[in-house]
mmCIF file of all heavy atoms in Angstrom:
data_model
loop_
_atom_site.group_PDB
_atom_site.id
_atom_site.type_symbol
_atom_site.label_atom_id
_atom_site.label_comp_id
_atom_site.label_asym_id
_atom_site.label_seq_id
_atom_site.Cartn_x
_atom_site.Cartn_y
_atom_site.Cartn_z
ATOM 1 N N ARG A 1068 -35.051 27.140 37.972
ATOM 2 C CA ARG A 1068 -36.455 27.566 38.049
ATOM 3 C C ARG A 1068 -36.729 28.717 37.081
ATOM 4 O O ARG A 1068 -37.750 28.728 36.384
ATOM 5 C CB ARG A 1068 -36.797 28.011 39.473
ATOM 6 C CG ARG A 1068 -36.813 26.910 40.496
ATOM 7 C CD ARG A 1068 -37.136 27.465 41.867
ATOM 8 N NE ARG A 1068 -38.518 27.947 41.949
ATOM 9 C CZ ARG A 1068 -39.004 28.652 42.972
ATOM 10 N NH1 ARG A 1068 -38.204 28.993 43.980
ATOM 11 N NH2 ARG A 1068 -40.258 29.032 42.984
ATOM 12 N N VAL A 1069 -35.801 29.679 37.045
ATOM 13 C CA VAL A 1069 -35.977 30.817 36.138
ATOM 14 C C VAL A 1069 -35.952 30.336 34.691
ATOM 15 O O VAL A 1069 -36.767 30.766 33.859
ATOM 16 C CB VAL A 1069 -34.892 31.873 36.385
ATOM 17 C CG1 VAL A 1069 -34.958 32.958 35.312
ATOM 18 C CG2 VAL A 1069 -35.040 32.486 37.769
ATOM 19 N N ALA A 1070 -35.030 29.432 34.377
ATOM 20 C CA ALA A 1070 -34.938 28.929 33.004
ATOM 21 C C ALA A 1070 -36.224 28.218 32.597
ATOM 22 O O ALA A 1070 -36.725 28.400 31.476
ATOM 23 C CB ALA A 1070 -33.744 27.989 32.873
ATOM 24 N N ALA A 1071 -36.770 27.407 33.493
ATOM 25 C CA ALA A 1071 -38.006 26.690 33.183
ATOM 26 C C ALA A 1071 -39.170 27.657 32.990
ATOM 27 O O ALA A 1071 -39.983 27.505 32.079
ATOM 28 C CB ALA A 1071 -38.323 25.686 34.292
ATOM 29 N N ALA A 1072 -39.242 28.673 33.842
ATOM 30 C CA ALA A 1072 -40.303 29.672 33.717
ATOM 31 C C ALA A 1072 -40.154 30.450 32.416
ATOM 32 O O ALA A 1072 -41.143 30.803 31.763
ATOM 33 C CB ALA A 1072 -40.277 30.621 34.908
ATOM 34 N N SER A 1073 -38.908 30.724 32.015
ATOM 35 C CA SER A 1073 -38.656 31.438 30.766
ATOM 36 C C SER A 1073 -39.097 30.603 29.568
ATOM 37 O O SER A 1073 -39.676 31.131 28.608
ATOM 38 C CB SER A 1073 -37.169 31.777 30.658
ATOM 39 O OG SER A 1073 -36.880 32.421 29.435
ATOM 40 N N VAL A 1074 -38.849 29.311 29.620
ATOM 41 C CA VAL A 1074 -39.276 28.428 28.527
ATOM 42 C C VAL A 1074 -40.795 28.432 28.403
ATOM 43 O O VAL A 1074 -41.344 28.513 27.297
ATOM 44 C CB VAL A 1074 -38.751 27.001 28.752
ATOM 45 C CG1 VAL A 1074 -39.427 26.017 27.797
ATOM 46 C CG2 VAL A 1074 -37.242 26.962 28.561
ATOM 47 N N ARG A 1075 -41.491 28.375 29.534
ATOM 48 C CA ARG A 1075 -42.959 28.407 29.495
ATOM 49 C C ARG A 1075 -43.460 29.709 28.887
ATOM 50 O O ARG A 1075 -44.431 29.734 28.115
ATOM 51 C CB ARG A 1075 -43.538 28.225 30.898
ATOM 52 C CG ARG A 1075 -43.290 26.853 31.507
ATOM 53 C CD ARG A 1075 -44.147 26.627 32.737
ATOM 54 N NE ARG A 1075 -43.816 27.517 33.836
ATOM 55 C CZ ARG A 1075 -42.922 27.249 34.780
ATOM 56 N NH1 ARG A 1075 -42.212 26.119 34.731
ATOM 57 N NH2 ARG A 1075 -42.703 28.105 35.767
ATOM 58 N N LEU A 1076 -42.785 30.797 29.212
ATOM 59 C CA LEU A 1076 -43.184 32.099 28.676
ATOM 60 C C LEU A 1076 -42.928 32.169 27.174
ATOM 61 O O LEU A 1076 -43.757 32.679 26.410
ATOM 62 C CB LEU A 1076 -42.424 33.204 29.407
ATOM 63 C CG LEU A 1076 -42.995 34.624 29.331
ATOM 64 C CD1 LEU A 1076 -44.419 34.673 29.840
ATOM 65 C CD2 LEU A 1076 -42.114 35.598 30.105
ATOM 66 N N ARG A 1077 -41.799 31.648 26.736
ATOM 67 C CA ARG A 1077 -41.495 31.627 25.308
ATOM 68 C C ARG A 1077 -42.523 30.783 24.555
ATOM 69 O O ARG A 1077 -42.993 31.169 23.482
ATOM 70 C CB ARG A 1077 -40.097 31.051 25.066
ATOM 71 C CG ARG A 1077 -38.980 32.034 25.321
ATOM 72 C CD ARG A 1077 -37.620 31.350 25.225
ATOM 73 N NE ARG A 1077 -36.566 32.357 25.259
ATOM 74 C CZ ARG A 1077 -35.883 32.760 24.194
ATOM 75 N NH1 ARG A 1077 -36.167 32.260 23.008
ATOM 76 N NH2 ARG A 1077 -34.940 33.668 24.295
ATOM 77 N N ASP A 1078 -42.837 29.628 25.106
ATOM 78 C CA ASP A 1078 -43.803 28.747 24.449
ATOM 79 C C ASP A 1078 -45.169 29.408 24.319
ATOM 80 O O ASP A 1078 -45.936 29.091 23.406
ATOM 81 C CB ASP A 1078 -43.930 27.431 25.227
ATOM 82 C CG ASP A 1078 -42.701 26.547 25.086
ATOM 83 O OD1 ASP A 1078 -41.880 26.815 24.187
ATOM 84 O OD2 ASP A 1078 -42.559 25.593 25.878
ATOM 85 N N ALA A 1079 -45.481 30.316 25.237
ATOM 86 C CA ALA A 1079 -46.765 31.027 25.190
ATOM 87 C C ALA A 1079 -46.721 32.222 24.237
ATOM 88 O O ALA A 1079 -47.739 32.897 24.049
ATOM 89 C CB ALA A 1079 -47.156 31.490 26.597
ATOM 90 N N GLY A 1080 -45.560 32.509 23.645
ATOM 91 C CA GLY A 1080 -45.450 33.629 22.712
ATOM 92 C C GLY A 1080 -45.452 34.981 23.377
ATOM 93 O O GLY A 1080 -45.885 35.974 22.772
ATOM 94 N N VAL A 1081 -44.960 35.063 24.622
ATOM 95 C CA VAL A 1081 -44.930 36.323 25.362
ATOM 96 C C VAL A 1081 -43.497 36.845 25.388
ATOM 97 O O VAL A 1081 -42.558 36.107 25.668
ATOM 98 C CB VAL A 1081 -45.461 36.140 26.794
ATOM 99 C CG1 VAL A 1081 -45.387 37.452 27.573
ATOM 100 C CG2 VAL A 1081 -46.895 35.618 26.762
ATOM 101 N N ALA A 1082 -43.339 38.133 25.123
ATOM 102 C CA ALA A 1082 -42.013 38.731 25.010
ATOM 103 C C ALA A 1082 -41.349 38.919 26.362
ATOM 104 O O ALA A 1082 -42.001 39.213 27.367
ATOM 105 C CB ALA A 1082 -42.104 40.079 24.301
ATOM 106 N N GLN A 1083 -40.028 38.786 26.348
ATOM 107 C CA GLN A 1083 -39.201 39.069 27.517
ATOM 108 C C GLN A 1083 -38.239 40.197 27.150
ATOM 109 O O GLN A 1083 -37.463 40.070 26.204
ATOM 110 C CB GLN A 1083 -38.416 37.825 27.948
ATOM 111 C CG GLN A 1083 -39.309 36.634 28.281
ATOM 112 C CD GLN A 1083 -38.522 35.391 28.599
ATOM 113 O OE1 GLN A 1083 -37.540 35.437 29.342
ATOM 114 N NE2 GLN A 1083 -38.939 34.257 28.052
ATOM 115 N N ILE A 1084 -38.321 41.278 27.901
ATOM 116 C CA ILE A 1084 -37.489 42.463 27.657
ATOM 117 C C ILE A 1084 -36.614 42.671 28.884
ATOM 118 O O ILE A 1084 -37.119 42.791 29.998
ATOM 119 C CB ILE A 1084 -38.359 43.703 27.421
ATOM 120 C CG1 ILE A 1084 -39.321 43.464 26.248
ATOM 121 C CG2 ILE A 1084 -37.491 44.938 27.169
ATOM 122 C CD1 ILE A 1084 -40.452 44.464 26.173
ATOM 123 N N ALA A 1085 -35.314 42.693 28.692
ATOM 124 C CA ALA A 1085 -34.382 42.864 29.803
ATOM 125 C C ALA A 1085 -33.695 44.216 29.718
ATOM 126 O O ALA A 1085 -33.312 44.664 28.635
ATOM 127 C CB ALA A 1085 -33.337 41.755 29.804
ATOM 128 N N VAL A 1086 -33.554 44.857 30.867
ATOM 129 C CA VAL A 1086 -32.773 46.085 30.983
ATOM 130 C C VAL A 1086 -31.644 45.793 31.955
ATOM 131 O O VAL A 1086 -31.879 45.490 33.130
ATOM 132 C CB VAL A 1086 -33.624 47.259 31.485
ATOM 133 C CG1 VAL A 1086 -32.750 48.502 31.670
ATOM 134 C CG2 VAL A 1086 -34.764 47.553 30.527
ATOM 135 N N LEU A 1087 -30.407 45.868 31.476
ATOM 136 C CA LEU A 1087 -29.244 45.554 32.286
ATOM 137 C C LEU A 1087 -28.763 46.807 33.003
ATOM 138 O O LEU A 1087 -28.310 47.755 32.375
ATOM 139 C CB LEU A 1087 -28.131 44.975 31.412
ATOM 140 C CG LEU A 1087 -28.539 43.881 30.419
ATOM 141 C CD1 LEU A 1087 -27.321 43.383 29.649
ATOM 142 C CD2 LEU A 1087 -29.238 42.732 31.123
ATOM 143 N N ARG A 1088 -28.898 46.782 34.333
ATOM 144 C CA ARG A 1088 -28.389 47.870 35.160
ATOM 145 C C ARG A 1088 -27.015 47.475 35.686
ATOM 146 O O ARG A 1088 -26.434 46.474 35.269
ATOM 147 C CB ARG A 1088 -29.377 48.138 36.305
ATOM 148 C CG ARG A 1088 -30.747 48.600 35.818
ATOM 149 C CD ARG A 1088 -31.863 48.259 36.795
ATOM 150 N NE ARG A 1088 -31.570 48.694 38.156
ATOM 151 C CZ ARG A 1088 -32.114 48.147 39.240
ATOM 152 N NH1 ARG A 1088 -32.986 47.145 39.113
ATOM 153 N NH2 ARG A 1088 -31.802 48.590 40.436
ATOM 154 N N ASP A 1089 -26.490 48.272 36.579
ATOM 155 C CA ASP A 1089 -25.153 48.016 37.105
ATOM 156 C C ASP A 1089 -25.222 47.442 38.517
ATOM 157 O O ASP A 1089 -25.823 48.093 39.387
ATOM 158 C CB ASP A 1089 -24.342 49.309 37.126
ATOM 159 C CG ASP A 1089 -22.912 49.071 37.578
ATOM 160 O OD1 ASP A 1089 -22.248 48.204 36.969
ATOM 161 O OD2 ASP A 1089 -22.484 49.716 38.542
ATOM 162 N N PRO A 1090 -24.641 46.252 38.752
ATOM 163 C CA PRO A 1090 -24.063 45.327 37.786
ATOM 164 C C PRO A 1090 -25.079 44.258 37.396
ATOM 165 O O PRO A 1090 -26.056 44.035 38.096
ATOM 166 C CB PRO A 1090 -22.927 44.709 38.592
ATOM 167 C CG PRO A 1090 -23.492 44.627 39.993
ATOM 168 C CD PRO A 1090 -24.376 45.844 40.153
ATOM 169 N N THR A 1091 -24.842 43.609 36.273
ATOM 170 C CA THR A 1091 -25.609 42.424 35.890
ATOM 171 C C THR A 1091 -24.608 41.322 35.628
ATOM 172 O O THR A 1091 -23.973 41.273 34.578
ATOM 173 C CB THR A 1091 -26.458 42.697 34.635
ATOM 174 O OG1 THR A 1091 -27.406 43.726 34.909
ATOM 175 C CG2 THR A 1091 -27.212 41.441 34.217
ATOM 176 N N THR A 1092 -24.453 40.452 36.608
ATOM 177 C CA THR A 1092 -23.431 39.413 36.527
ATOM 178 C C THR A 1092 -24.002 38.083 36.990
ATOM 179 O O THR A 1092 -25.134 37.985 37.475
ATOM 180 C CB THR A 1092 -22.208 39.778 37.390
ATOM 181 O OG1 THR A 1092 -22.610 39.921 38.761
ATOM 182 C CG2 THR A 1092 -21.582 41.091 36.940
ATOM 183 N N GLY A 1093 -23.180 37.055 36.836
ATOM 184 C CA GLY A 1093 -23.542 35.736 37.330
ATOM 185 C C GLY A 1093 -24.804 35.175 36.704
ATOM 186 O O GLY A 1093 -25.115 35.407 35.531
ATOM 187 N N GLY A 1094 -25.549 34.443 37.528
ATOM 188 C CA GLY A 1094 -26.743 33.777 37.039
ATOM 189 C C GLY A 1094 -27.828 34.711 36.569
ATOM 190 O O GLY A 1094 -28.635 34.351 35.705
ATOM 191 N N GLY A 1095 -27.873 35.924 37.107
ATOM 192 C CA GLY A 1095 -28.869 36.886 36.644
ATOM 193 C C GLY A 1095 -28.643 37.268 35.197
ATOM 194 O O GLY A 1095 -29.590 37.432 34.421
ATOM 195 N N TRP A 1096 -27.367 37.411 34.811
ATOM 196 C CA TRP A 1096 -27.033 37.695 33.423
ATOM 197 C C TRP A 1096 -27.289 36.464 32.555
ATOM 198 O O TRP A 1096 -27.828 36.556 31.454
ATOM 199 C CB TRP A 1096 -25.587 38.139 33.318
ATOM 200 C CG TRP A 1096 -24.978 38.153 31.943
ATOM 201 C CD1 TRP A 1096 -23.789 37.599 31.572
ATOM 202 C CD2 TRP A 1096 -25.480 38.783 30.748
ATOM 203 N NE1 TRP A 1096 -23.527 37.824 30.244
ATOM 204 C CE2 TRP A 1096 -24.565 38.550 29.714
ATOM 205 C CE3 TRP A 1096 -26.640 39.501 30.461
ATOM 206 C CZ2 TRP A 1096 -24.743 39.013 28.410
ATOM 207 C CZ3 TRP A 1096 -26.830 39.964 29.154
ATOM 208 C CH2 TRP A 1096 -25.899 39.728 28.156
ATOM 209 N N ALA A 1097 -26.946 35.280 33.072
ATOM 210 C CA ALA A 1097 -27.030 34.053 32.279
ATOM 211 C C ALA A 1097 -28.442 33.505 32.166
ATOM 212 O O ALA A 1097 -28.644 32.500 31.485
ATOM 213 C CB ALA A 1097 -26.102 32.996 32.874
ATOM 214 N N THR A 1098 -29.425 34.117 32.825
ATOM 215 C CA THR A 1098 -30.813 33.642 32.716
ATOM 216 C C THR A 1098 -31.715 34.803 32.292
ATOM 217 O O THR A 1098 -32.056 34.930 31.120
ATOM 218 C CB THR A 1098 -31.300 33.026 34.038
ATOM 219 O OG1 THR A 1098 -31.031 33.942 35.116
ATOM 220 C CG2 THR A 1098 -30.600 31.705 34.310
ATOM 221 N N LEU A 1099 -32.081 35.658 33.227
ATOM 222 C CA LEU A 1099 -32.999 36.754 32.910
ATOM 223 C C LEU A 1099 -32.446 37.683 31.843
ATOM 224 O O LEU A 1099 -33.188 38.176 30.988
ATOM 225 C CB LEU A 1099 -33.314 37.583 34.164
ATOM 226 C CG LEU A 1099 -34.168 36.939 35.238
ATOM 227 C CD1 LEU A 1099 -33.275 36.260 36.272
ATOM 228 C CD2 LEU A 1099 -35.033 37.989 35.922
ATOM 229 N N GLY A 1100 -31.145 37.971 31.889
ATOM 230 C CA GLY A 1100 -30.558 38.924 30.965
ATOM 231 C C GLY A 1100 -30.338 38.345 29.591
ATOM 232 O O GLY A 1100 -31.031 38.687 28.625
ATOM 233 N N ALA A 1101 -29.385 37.451 29.474
ATOM 234 C CA ALA A 1101 -29.009 36.912 28.167
ATOM 235 C C ALA A 1101 -30.105 36.075 27.538
ATOM 236 O O ALA A 1101 -30.095 35.854 26.323
ATOM 237 C CB ALA A 1101 -27.734 36.087 28.303
ATOM 238 N N GLY A 1102 -31.062 35.613 28.314
ATOM 239 C CA GLY A 1102 -32.134 34.795 27.776
ATOM 240 C C GLY A 1102 -33.337 35.571 27.277
ATOM 241 O O GLY A 1102 -34.306 34.972 26.800
ATOM 242 N N ALA A 1103 -33.308 36.894 27.353
ATOM 243 C CA ALA A 1103 -34.461 37.709 26.936
ATOM 244 C C ALA A 1103 -34.510 37.855 25.421
ATOM 245 O O ALA A 1103 -33.515 37.663 24.714
ATOM 246 C CB ALA A 1103 -34.399 39.080 27.602
ATOM 247 N N ASP A 1104 -35.676 38.218 24.917
ATOM 248 C CA ASP A 1104 -35.835 38.472 23.483
ATOM 249 C C ASP A 1104 -35.150 39.765 23.080
ATOM 250 O O ASP A 1104 -34.506 39.839 22.031
ATOM 251 C CB ASP A 1104 -37.326 38.557 23.127
ATOM 252 C CG ASP A 1104 -38.053 37.256 23.378
ATOM 253 O OD1 ASP A 1104 -37.660 36.238 22.785
ATOM 254 O OD2 ASP A 1104 -39.009 37.262 24.171
ATOM 255 N N VAL A 1105 -35.309 40.794 23.898
ATOM 256 C CA VAL A 1105 -34.720 42.109 23.643
ATOM 257 C C VAL A 1105 -33.879 42.473 24.858
ATOM 258 O O VAL A 1105 -34.366 42.419 25.993
ATOM 259 C CB VAL A 1105 -35.797 43.183 23.420
ATOM 260 C CG1 VAL A 1105 -35.161 44.549 23.197
ATOM 261 C CG2 VAL A 1105 -36.698 42.802 22.243
ATOM 262 N N ILE A 1106 -32.624 42.826 24.616
ATOM 263 C CA ILE A 1106 -31.708 43.118 25.714
ATOM 264 C C ILE A 1106 -31.188 44.543 25.573
ATOM 265 O O ILE A 1106 -30.441 44.858 24.634
ATOM 266 C CB ILE A 1106 -30.523 42.134 25.745
ATOM 267 C CG1 ILE A 1106 -31.017 40.680 25.737
ATOM 268 C CG2 ILE A 1106 -29.653 42.390 26.974
ATOM 269 C CD1 ILE A 1106 -29.898 39.664 25.640
ATOM 270 N N LEU A 1107 -31.586 45.399 26.510
ATOM 271 C CA LEU A 1107 -31.120 46.774 26.567
ATOM 272 C C LEU A 1107 -30.177 46.912 27.759
ATOM 273 O O LEU A 1107 -30.241 46.121 28.698
ATOM 274 C CB LEU A 1107 -32.297 47.740 26.724
ATOM 275 C CG LEU A 1107 -33.475 47.550 25.764
ATOM 276 C CD1 LEU A 1107 -34.593 48.532 26.112
ATOM 277 C CD2 LEU A 1107 -33.035 47.710 24.326
ATOM 278 N N ALA A 1108 -29.332 47.907 27.743
ATOM 279 C CA ALA A 1108 -28.410 48.118 28.862
ATOM 280 C C ALA A 1108 -28.211 49.599 29.089
ATOM 281 O O ALA A 1108 -28.252 50.404 28.149
ATOM 282 C CB ALA A 1108 -27.062 47.450 28.596
ATOM 283 N N LEU A 1109 -28.005 49.957 30.347
ATOM 284 C CA LEU A 1109 -27.651 51.333 30.676
ATOM 285 C C LEU A 1109 -26.165 51.562 30.409
ATOM 286 O O LEU A 1109 -25.358 50.638 30.525
ATOM 287 C CB LEU A 1109 -27.974 51.616 32.148
ATOM 288 C CG LEU A 1109 -29.460 51.584 32.517
ATOM 289 C CD1 LEU A 1109 -29.640 51.825 34.007
ATOM 290 C CD2 LEU A 1109 -30.241 52.620 31.722
ATOM 291 N N PRO A 1110 -25.776 52.772 30.042
ATOM 292 C CA PRO A 1110 -24.377 53.042 29.728
ATOM 293 C C PRO A 1110 -23.452 52.691 30.886
ATOM 294 O O PRO A 1110 -23.771 52.937 32.056
ATOM 295 C CB PRO A 1110 -24.361 54.549 29.445
ATOM 296 C CG PRO A 1110 -25.770 54.882 29.065
ATOM 297 C CD PRO A 1110 -26.636 53.964 29.872
ATOM 298 N N SER A 1111 -22.319 52.113 30.547
ATOM 299 C CA SER A 1111 -21.242 51.797 31.496
ATOM 300 C C SER A 1111 -21.611 50.742 32.533
ATOM 301 O O SER A 1111 -20.849 50.511 33.474
ATOM 302 C CB SER A 1111 -20.762 53.065 32.234
ATOM 303 O OG SER A 1111 -20.330 54.039 31.303
ATOM 304 N N ALA A 1112 -22.760 50.096 32.375
ATOM 305 C CA ALA A 1112 -23.128 49.045 33.327
ATOM 306 C C ALA A 1112 -22.131 47.902 33.236
ATOM 307 O O ALA A 1112 -21.663 47.537 32.152
ATOM 308 C CB ALA A 1112 -24.534 48.545 33.035
ATOM 309 N N GLN A 1113 -21.802 47.327 34.390
ATOM 310 C CA GLN A 1113 -20.975 46.131 34.418
ATOM 311 C C GLN A 1113 -21.848 44.944 34.010
ATOM 312 O O GLN A 1113 -22.856 44.659 34.652
ATOM 313 C CB GLN A 1113 -20.395 45.925 35.826
ATOM 314 C CG GLN A 1113 -19.504 44.706 35.953
ATOM 315 C CD GLN A 1113 -19.081 44.430 37.374
ATOM 316 O OE1 GLN A 1113 -18.431 43.429 37.658
ATOM 317 N NE2 GLN A 1113 -19.455 45.286 38.310
#
Side-chain angles (χ1 to χ4, degrees):
R1068 292 179 68 190
V1069 172
S1073 178
V1074 168
R1075 293 193 295 270
L1076 199 57
R1077 281 173 171 256
D1078 288 346
V1081 178
Q1083 302 176 45
I1084 303 165
V1086 177
L1087 313 181
R1088 297 154 51 204
D1089 184 54
T1091 298
T1092 60
W1096 166 230
T1098 51
L1099 290 92
D1104 297 301
V1105 178
I1106 307 175
L1107 311 176
L1109 294 178
S1111 303
Q1113 181 187 175

